Amino acid sequence: MSLMEIHQQFIAGLQQTSLLEFAAVCAGIASVWFSRKENILVYPIGLINTIIYIYLSLKGQLYGEASVNLYYTIVSIYGWIWWSRVNKNTQEVQLKITYSNSKDQIQQWGFFASFYILIFCALTWLKASFAPEAIPWADAFASATAYTGMWLMARKKVASWYWWIATNIASIPLYFIKGYVFTSVQFLLLLILAIAGLISWNKKAQHESH
């Protein structure tokens, strides 16, 4: 695809952006902004984004991404509960930003690998059966990295941002190809915010460790 064709598809995609997709994108960007700030609003705002994207992903035959957003919705409730807990004596938030130890790293790579294989196999079957437009390897990668990132974010692990960066890089072309141009722009912005989030959480983790 030439640069001219990409530009034309980009303009056409923006013109076809629905209000629903626009609302989801705005909520998604706001959610990541709040997560970078370690603000509890990351979860209620994020729920708006995930619920809308369950619908949009199913409509675009991005079944892996649909499963991701369903998972986001469930883990957001879990994370909301954990992030809200405070020490009754000090009134400080109990869950602190920390680095992953060796055991955590093995768990997260195993978590990613398990979901990648599961989603890839499921999408390969769906592609052969009734979803010829599905892209198993790319959708599975974007989905599995997102699953891992969300799980780690609920536990306030710095490593969550590395997985979010990988998710955003994979999702930019994935949604662009599917015609969700405005959403692909969202993932570009989220990539920038994820890098900023990594820097911010890394500083906080260093502060907590001293």
Side-chain angles (χ1 to χ4, degrees), residues 158-194:
V158 175
S160 64
W161 291 107
Y162 290 110
W163 294 98
W164 286 130
I165 289 170
T167 298
N168 294 326
I169 290 174
S171 296
I172 291 170
L174 188 59
Y175 275 91
F176 186 86
I177 291 171
K178 287 293 183 177
Y180 293 116
V181 176
F182 197 60
T183 297
S184 69
V185 173
Q186 172 202 224
F187 280 110
L188 178 59
L189 294 176
L190 293 184
L191 174 60
I192 296 171
L193 287 175

mmCIF file of all heavy atoms in Angstrom, residues 158-194:
data_model
loop_
_atom_site.group_PDB
_atom_site.id
_atom_site.type_symbol
_atom_site.label_atom_id
_atom_site.label_comp_id
_atom_site.label_asym_id
_atom_site.label_seq_id
_atom_site.Cartn_x
_atom_site.Cartn_y
_atom_site.Cartn_z
ATOM 1 N N VAL A 158 5.175 -2.294 37.532
ATOM 2 C CA VAL A 158 5.783 -1.434 36.516
ATOM 3 C C VAL A 158 5.811 -2.124 35.159
ATOM 4 O O VAL A 158 5.605 -1.497 34.118
ATOM 5 C CB VAL A 158 7.222 -1.040 36.929
ATOM 6 C CG1 VAL A 158 7.903 -0.255 35.810
ATOM 7 C CG2 VAL A 158 7.211 -0.226 38.210
ATOM 8 N N ALA A 159 6.039 -3.439 35.167
ATOM 9 C CA ALA A 159 6.140 -4.208 33.924
ATOM 10 C C ALA A 159 4.877 -4.141 33.070
ATOM 11 O O ALA A 159 4.923 -4.421 31.873
ATOM 12 C CB ALA A 159 6.469 -5.667 34.235
ATOM 13 N N SER A 160 3.751 -3.768 33.673
ATOM 14 C CA SER A 160 2.502 -3.690 32.911
ATOM 15 C C SER A 160 2.642 -2.753 31.720
ATOM 16 O O SER A 160 2.076 -2.994 30.644
ATOM 17 C CB SER A 160 1.350 -3.212 33.804
ATOM 18 O OG SER A 160 1.568 -1.886 34.265
ATOM 19 N N TRP A 161 3.442 -1.704 31.875
ATOM 20 C CA TRP A 161 3.583 -0.721 30.804
ATOM 21 C C TRP A 161 4.343 -1.272 29.599
ATOM 22 O O TRP A 161 4.078 -0.870 28.465
ATOM 23 C CB TRP A 161 4.263 0.549 31.327
ATOM 24 C CG TRP A 161 3.386 1.303 32.277
ATOM 25 C CD1 TRP A 161 3.521 1.407 33.634
ATOM 26 C CD2 TRP A 161 2.209 2.056 31.949
ATOM 27 N NE1 TRP A 161 2.515 2.162 34.172
ATOM 28 C CE2 TRP A 161 1.693 2.585 33.153
ATOM 29 C CE3 TRP A 161 1.534 2.328 30.758
ATOM 30 C CZ2 TRP A 161 0.541 3.365 33.198
ATOM 31 C CZ3 TRP A 161 0.383 3.111 30.798
ATOM 32 C CH2 TRP A 161 -0.096 3.616 32.000
ATOM 33 N N TYR A 162 5.265 -2.202 29.826
ATOM 34 C CA TYR A 162 5.958 -2.819 28.697
ATOM 35 C C TYR A 162 4.965 -3.606 27.837
ATOM 36 O O TYR A 162 5.042 -3.583 26.604
ATOM 37 C CB TYR A 162 7.060 -3.761 29.191
ATOM 38 C CG TYR A 162 8.229 -3.053 29.825
ATOM 39 C CD1 TYR A 162 8.464 -3.143 31.198
ATOM 40 C CD2 TYR A 162 9.113 -2.298 29.057
ATOM 41 C CE1 TYR A 162 9.539 -2.492 31.780
ATOM 42 C CE2 TYR A 162 10.196 -1.650 29.631
ATOM 43 C CZ TYR A 162 10.397 -1.745 30.994
ATOM 44 O OH TYR A 162 11.464 -1.095 31.570
ATOM 45 N N TRP A 163 4.043 -4.284 28.504
ATOM 46 C CA TRP A 163 3.029 -5.061 27.778
ATOM 47 C C TRP A 163 2.036 -4.141 27.068
ATOM 48 O O TRP A 163 1.588 -4.433 25.967
ATOM 49 C CB TRP A 163 2.312 -5.996 28.749
ATOM 50 C CG TRP A 163 3.215 -7.053 29.299
ATOM 51 C CD1 TRP A 163 3.866 -7.041 30.503
ATOM 52 C CD2 TRP A 163 3.614 -8.266 28.653
ATOM 53 N NE1 TRP A 163 4.631 -8.166 30.651
ATOM 54 C CE2 TRP A 163 4.493 -8.933 29.531
ATOM 55 C CE3 TRP A 163 3.301 -8.852 27.429
ATOM 56 C CZ2 TRP A 163 5.072 -10.167 29.225
ATOM 57 C CZ3 TRP A 163 3.878 -10.075 27.116
ATOM 58 C CH2 TRP A 163 4.746 -10.717 27.992
ATOM 59 N N TRP A 164 1.717 -3.008 27.698
ATOM 60 C CA TRP A 164 0.829 -2.041 27.038
ATOM 61 C C TRP A 164 1.494 -1.451 25.795
ATOM 62 O O TRP A 164 0.834 -1.225 24.772
ATOM 63 C CB TRP A 164 0.477 -0.904 28.003
ATOM 64 C CG TRP A 164 -0.496 -1.247 29.078
ATOM 65 C CD1 TRP A 164 -0.364 -1.009 30.418
ATOM 66 C CD2 TRP A 164 -1.776 -1.879 28.934
ATOM 67 N NE1 TRP A 164 -1.469 -1.457 31.094
ATOM 68 C CE2 TRP A 164 -2.345 -1.984 30.213
ATOM 69 C CE3 TRP A 164 -2.483 -2.365 27.821
ATOM 70 C CZ2 TRP A 164 -3.602 -2.557 30.422
ATOM 71 C CZ3 TRP A 164 -3.733 -2.936 28.027
ATOM 72 C CH2 TRP A 164 -4.282 -3.029 29.315
ATOM 73 N N ILE A 165 2.777 -1.189 25.867
ATOM 74 C CA ILE A 165 3.508 -0.664 24.710
ATOM 75 C C ILE A 165 3.440 -1.660 23.554
ATOM 76 O O ILE A 165 3.180 -1.285 22.403
ATOM 77 C CB ILE A 165 4.975 -0.356 25.099
ATOM 78 C CG1 ILE A 165 5.029 0.874 26.015
ATOM 79 C CG2 ILE A 165 5.832 -0.125 23.852
ATOM 80 C CD1 ILE A 165 6.385 1.134 26.645
ATOM 81 N N ALA A 166 3.644 -2.938 23.863
ATOM 82 C CA ALA A 166 3.567 -3.982 22.835
ATOM 83 C C ALA A 166 2.160 -4.072 22.250
ATOM 84 O O ALA A 166 1.974 -4.203 21.033
ATOM 85 C CB ALA A 166 3.971 -5.326 23.425
ATOM 86 N N THR A 167 1.152 -3.975 23.111
ATOM 87 C CA THR A 167 -0.247 -4.014 22.660
ATOM 88 C C THR A 167 -0.551 -2.872 21.705
ATOM 89 O O THR A 167 -1.162 -3.062 20.643
ATOM 90 C CB THR A 167 -1.199 -3.917 23.867
ATOM 91 O OG1 THR A 167 -0.996 -5.035 24.722
ATOM 92 C CG2 THR A 167 -2.653 -3.890 23.409
ATOM 93 N N ASN A 168 -0.130 -1.677 22.070
ATOM 94 C CA ASN A 168 -0.418 -0.498 21.254
ATOM 95 C C ASN A 168 0.274 -0.570 19.893
ATOM 96 O O ASN A 168 -0.320 -0.217 18.865
ATOM 97 C CB ASN A 168 0.008 0.765 22.001
ATOM 98 C CG ASN A 168 -0.821 1.013 23.242
ATOM 99 O OD1 ASN A 168 -2.005 0.707 23.272
ATOM 100 N ND2 ASN A 168 -0.207 1.546 24.281
ATOM 101 N N ILE A 169 1.520 -1.023 19.877
ATOM 102 C CA ILE A 169 2.265 -1.144 18.617
ATOM 103 C C ILE A 169 1.558 -2.129 17.678
ATOM 104 O O ILE A 169 1.443 -1.882 16.473
ATOM 105 C CB ILE A 169 3.712 -1.599 18.882
ATOM 106 C CG1 ILE A 169 4.496 -0.472 19.568
ATOM 107 C CG2 ILE A 169 4.402 -1.996 17.566
ATOM 108 C CD1 ILE A 169 5.892 -0.866 20.007
ATOM 109 N N ALA A 170 1.063 -3.237 18.228
ATOM 110 C CA ALA A 170 0.386 -4.247 17.413
ATOM 111 C C ALA A 170 -1.005 -3.776 16.965
ATOM 112 O O ALA A 170 -1.460 -4.108 15.863
ATOM 113 C CB ALA A 170 0.260 -5.545 18.195
ATOM 114 N N SER A 171 -1.674 -3.001 17.814
ATOM 115 C CA SER A 171 -3.064 -2.611 17.539
ATOM 116 C C SER A 171 -3.198 -1.486 16.521
ATOM 117 O O SER A 171 -4.226 -1.377 15.851
ATOM 118 C CB SER A 171 -3.751 -2.197 18.843
ATOM 119 O OG SER A 171 -3.831 -3.283 19.734
ATOM 120 N N ILE A 172 -2.172 -0.644 16.391
ATOM 121 C CA ILE A 172 -2.258 0.479 15.440
ATOM 122 C C ILE A 172 -2.556 -0.010 14.021
ATOM 123 O O ILE A 172 -3.542 0.414 13.418
ATOM 124 C CB ILE A 172 -0.966 1.327 15.474
ATOM 125 C CG1 ILE A 172 -0.857 2.072 16.813
ATOM 126 C CG2 ILE A 172 -0.948 2.335 14.313
ATOM 127 C CD1 ILE A 172 0.492 2.733 17.046
ATOM 128 N N PRO A 173 -1.743 -0.907 13.445
ATOM 129 C CA PRO A 173 -2.054 -1.386 12.082
ATOM 130 C C PRO A 173 -3.250 -2.324 12.042
ATOM 131 O O PRO A 173 -3.975 -2.362 11.043
ATOM 132 C CB PRO A 173 -0.769 -2.105 11.663
ATOM 133 C CG PRO A 173 -0.153 -2.544 12.952
ATOM 134 C CD PRO A 173 -0.461 -1.458 13.934
ATOM 135 N N LEU A 174 -3.489 -3.068 13.134
ATOM 136 C CA LEU A 174 -4.583 -4.036 13.155
ATOM 137 C C LEU A 174 -5.932 -3.354 12.975
ATOM 138 O O LEU A 174 -6.759 -3.769 12.157
ATOM 139 C CB LEU A 174 -4.555 -4.811 14.480
ATOM 140 C CG LEU A 174 -5.515 -5.996 14.622
ATOM 141 C CD1 LEU A 174 -5.251 -7.044 13.554
ATOM 142 C CD2 LEU A 174 -5.390 -6.605 16.017
ATOM 143 N N TYR A 175 -6.174 -2.294 13.726
ATOM 144 C CA TYR A 175 -7.450 -1.590 13.619
ATOM 145 C C TYR A 175 -7.518 -0.736 12.355
ATOM 146 O O TYR A 175 -8.597 -0.526 11.792
ATOM 147 C CB TYR A 175 -7.681 -0.726 14.867
ATOM 148 C CG TYR A 175 -8.311 -1.498 15.998
ATOM 149 C CD1 TYR A 175 -7.537 -2.131 16.953
ATOM 150 C CD2 TYR A 175 -9.696 -1.618 16.100
ATOM 151 C CE1 TYR A 175 -8.106 -2.857 17.990
ATOM 152 C CE2 TYR A 175 -10.284 -2.334 17.128
ATOM 153 C CZ TYR A 175 -9.487 -2.952 18.070
ATOM 154 O OH TYR A 175 -10.067 -3.675 19.081
ATOM 155 N N PHE A 176 -6.368 -0.244 11.896
ATOM 156 C CA PHE A 176 -6.345 0.546 10.659
ATOM 157 C C PHE A 176 -6.809 -0.303 9.480
ATOM 158 O O PHE A 176 -7.618 0.133 8.654
ATOM 159 C CB PHE A 176 -4.935 1.079 10.404
ATOM 160 C CG PHE A 176 -4.846 2.030 9.231
ATOM 161 C CD1 PHE A 176 -5.106 3.376 9.390
ATOM 162 C CD2 PHE A 176 -4.505 1.569 7.963
ATOM 163 C CE1 PHE A 176 -5.034 4.255 8.321
ATOM 164 C CE2 PHE A 176 -4.427 2.431 6.892
ATOM 165 C CZ PHE A 176 -4.688 3.781 7.063
ATOM 166 N N ILE A 177 -6.293 -1.516 9.407
ATOM 167 C CA ILE A 177 -6.655 -2.439 8.329
ATOM 168 C C ILE A 177 -8.146 -2.764 8.365
ATOM 169 O O ILE A 177 -8.787 -2.911 7.328
ATOM 170 C CB ILE A 177 -5.821 -3.741 8.436
ATOM 171 C CG1 ILE A 177 -4.348 -3.455 8.116
ATOM 172 C CG2 ILE A 177 -6.356 -4.816 7.487
ATOM 173 C CD1 ILE A 177 -3.427 -4.618 8.405
ATOM 174 N N LYS A 178 -8.704 -2.848 9.583
ATOM 175 C CA LYS A 178 -10.113 -3.181 9.740
ATOM 176 C C LYS A 178 -11.038 -1.988 9.491
ATOM 177 O O LYS A 178 -12.255 -2.120 9.485
ATOM 178 C CB LYS A 178 -10.368 -3.726 11.154
ATOM 179 C CG LYS A 178 -9.835 -5.137 11.365
ATOM 180 C CD LYS A 178 -10.595 -6.153 10.534
ATOM 181 C CE LYS A 178 -10.120 -7.568 10.805
ATOM 182 N NZ LYS A 178 -10.900 -8.560 10.047
ATOM 183 N N GLY A 179 -10.461 -0.806 9.273
ATOM 184 C CA GLY A 179 -11.264 0.367 8.960
ATOM 185 C C GLY A 179 -11.572 1.265 10.141
ATOM 186 O O GLY A 179 -12.211 2.304 9.992
ATOM 187 N N TYR A 180 -11.102 0.878 11.336
ATOM 188 C CA TYR A 180 -11.305 1.720 12.515
ATOM 189 C C TYR A 180 -10.119 2.676 12.641
ATOM 190 O O TYR A 180 -9.263 2.538 13.511
ATOM 191 C CB TYR A 180 -11.443 0.863 13.771
ATOM 192 C CG TYR A 180 -12.700 0.023 13.796
ATOM 193 C CD1 TYR A 180 -12.638 -1.366 13.779
ATOM 194 C CD2 TYR A 180 -13.959 0.628 13.842
ATOM 195 C CE1 TYR A 180 -13.790 -2.136 13.801
ATOM 196 C CE2 TYR A 180 -15.116 -0.136 13.863
ATOM 197 C CZ TYR A 180 -15.023 -1.517 13.847
ATOM 198 O OH TYR A 180 -16.168 -2.280 13.866
ATOM 199 N N VAL A 181 -10.091 3.668 11.737
ATOM 200 C CA VAL A 181 -8.945 4.571 11.649
ATOM 201 C C VAL A 181 -8.786 5.415 12.908
ATOM 202 O O VAL A 181 -7.674 5.604 13.408
ATOM 203 C CB VAL A 181 -9.084 5.470 10.403
ATOM 204 C CG1 VAL A 181 -7.943 6.482 10.361
ATOM 205 C CG2 VAL A 181 -9.071 4.625 9.142
ATOM 206 N N PHE A 182 -9.906 5.924 13.414
ATOM 207 C CA PHE A 182 -9.833 6.773 14.596
ATOM 208 C C PHE A 182 -9.311 5.973 15.789
ATOM 209 O O PHE A 182 -8.581 6.490 16.628
ATOM 210 C CB PHE A 182 -11.202 7.370 14.908
ATOM 211 C CG PHE A 182 -11.142 8.559 15.842
ATOM 212 C CD1 PHE A 182 -10.431 9.689 15.496
ATOM 213 C CD2 PHE A 182 -11.803 8.525 17.061
ATOM 214 C CE1 PHE A 182 -10.369 10.779 16.352
ATOM 215 C CE2 PHE A 182 -11.753 9.608 17.921
ATOM 216 C CZ PHE A 182 -11.041 10.739 17.566
ATOM 217 N N THR A 183 -9.682 4.701 15.846
ATOM 218 C CA THR A 183 -9.200 3.833 16.918
ATOM 219 C C THR A 183 -7.703 3.586 16.779
ATOM 220 O O THR A 183 -6.977 3.526 17.775
ATOM 221 C CB THR A 183 -9.957 2.486 16.906
ATOM 222 O OG1 THR A 183 -11.336 2.733 17.175
ATOM 223 C CG2 THR A 183 -9.398 1.530 17.954
ATOM 224 N N SER A 184 -7.222 3.452 15.548
ATOM 225 C CA SER A 184 -5.783 3.260 15.347
ATOM 226 C C SER A 184 -5.011 4.497 15.791
ATOM 227 O O SER A 184 -3.897 4.392 16.325
ATOM 228 C CB SER A 184 -5.474 2.937 13.874
ATOM 229 O OG SER A 184 -5.699 4.046 13.038
ATOM 230 N N VAL A 185 -5.607 5.681 15.595
ATOM 231 C CA VAL A 185 -4.998 6.924 16.075
ATOM 232 C C VAL A 185 -4.973 6.910 17.603
ATOM 233 O O VAL A 185 -4.003 7.341 18.231
ATOM 234 C CB VAL A 185 -5.779 8.151 15.563
ATOM 235 C CG1 VAL A 185 -5.236 9.438 16.213
ATOM 236 C CG2 VAL A 185 -5.669 8.263 14.050
ATOM 237 N N GLN A 186 -6.063 6.381 18.197
ATOM 238 C CA GLN A 186 -6.109 6.263 19.653
ATOM 239 C C GLN A 186 -4.923 5.449 20.167
ATOM 240 O O GLN A 186 -4.261 5.832 21.129
ATOM 241 C CB GLN A 186 -7.400 5.574 20.101
ATOM 242 C CG GLN A 186 -7.408 5.248 21.588
ATOM 243 C CD GLN A 186 -8.375 4.138 21.956
ATOM 244 O OE1 GLN A 186 -9.091 4.246 22.940
ATOM 245 N NE2 GLN A 186 -8.410 3.076 21.188
ATOM 246 N N PHE A 187 -4.641 4.316 19.499
ATOM 247 C CA PHE A 187 -3.557 3.460 19.957
ATOM 248 C C PHE A 187 -2.191 4.136 19.793
ATOM 249 O O PHE A 187 -1.260 3.845 20.550
ATOM 250 C CB PHE A 187 -3.589 2.115 19.237
ATOM 251 C CG PHE A 187 -4.599 1.168 19.814
ATOM 252 C CD1 PHE A 187 -5.744 0.832 19.109
ATOM 253 C CD2 PHE A 187 -4.414 0.617 21.073
ATOM 254 C CE1 PHE A 187 -6.688 -0.030 19.647
ATOM 255 C CE2 PHE A 187 -5.344 -0.248 21.628
ATOM 256 C CZ PHE A 187 -6.494 -0.579 20.913
ATOM 257 N N LEU A 188 -2.084 5.032 18.828
ATOM 258 C CA LEU A 188 -0.848 5.800 18.684
ATOM 259 C C LEU A 188 -0.671 6.730 19.882
ATOM 260 O O LEU A 188 0.423 6.831 20.452
ATOM 261 C CB LEU A 188 -0.882 6.614 17.387
ATOM 262 C CG LEU A 188 0.335 7.514 17.125
ATOM 263 C CD1 LEU A 188 1.619 6.691 17.080
ATOM 264 C CD2 LEU A 188 0.148 8.296 15.824
ATOM 265 N N LEU A 189 -1.761 7.394 20.274
ATOM 266 C CA LEU A 189 -1.718 8.267 21.440
ATOM 267 C C LEU A 189 -1.475 7.454 22.714
ATOM 268 O O LEU A 189 -0.725 7.878 23.604
ATOM 269 C CB LEU A 189 -3.033 9.050 21.557
ATOM 270 C CG LEU A 189 -3.327 10.051 20.441
ATOM 271 C CD1 LEU A 189 -4.709 10.667 20.637
ATOM 272 C CD2 LEU A 189 -2.264 11.146 20.402
ATOM 273 N N LEU A 190 -2.099 6.270 22.784
ATOM 274 C CA LEU A 190 -1.925 5.413 23.953
ATOM 275 C C LEU A 190 -0.493 4.901 24.058
ATOM 276 O O LEU A 190 0.020 4.683 25.157
ATOM 277 C CB LEU A 190 -2.898 4.226 23.894
ATOM 278 C CG LEU A 190 -4.392 4.556 24.017
ATOM 279 C CD1 LEU A 190 -5.209 3.276 24.037
ATOM 280 C CD2 LEU A 190 -4.669 5.388 25.263
ATOM 281 N N LEU A 191 0.146 4.710 22.908
ATOM 282 C CA LEU A 191 1.546 4.292 22.901
ATOM 283 C C LEU A 191 2.411 5.359 23.557
ATOM 284 O O LEU A 191 3.284 5.058 24.379
ATOM 285 C CB LEU A 191 2.005 4.035 21.465
ATOM 286 C CG LEU A 191 3.500 3.730 21.268
ATOM 287 C CD1 LEU A 191 3.899 2.473 22.046
ATOM 288 C CD2 LEU A 191 3.820 3.563 19.783
ATOM 289 N N ILE A 192 2.154 6.612 23.214
ATOM 290 C CA ILE A 192 2.900 7.730 23.793
ATOM 291 C C ILE A 192 2.636 7.811 25.298
ATOM 292 O O ILE A 192 3.561 7.979 26.102
ATOM 293 C CB ILE A 192 2.504 9.056 23.108
ATOM 294 C CG1 ILE A 192 2.907 9.018 21.626
ATOM 295 C CG2 ILE A 192 3.171 10.251 23.809
ATOM 296 C CD1 ILE A 192 2.375 10.184 20.815
ATOM 297 N N LEU A 193 1.361 7.652 25.684
ATOM 298 C CA LEU A 193 1.003 7.702 27.104
ATOM 299 C C LEU A 193 1.590 6.513 27.872
ATOM 300 O O LEU A 193 1.950 6.638 29.049
ATOM 301 C CB LEU A 193 -0.522 7.715 27.263
ATOM 302 C CG LEU A 193 -1.236 9.014 26.890
ATOM 303 C CD1 LEU A 193 -2.750 8.839 26.981
ATOM 304 C CD2 LEU A 193 -0.783 10.152 27.802
ATOM 305 N N ALA A 194 1.681 5.358 27.207
ATOM 306 C CA ALA A 194 2.244 4.174 27.857
ATOM 307 C C ALA A 194 3.725 4.374 28.168
ATOM 308 O O ALA A 194 4.214 3.968 29.226
ATOM 309 C CB ALA A 194 2.062 2.940 26.972
#
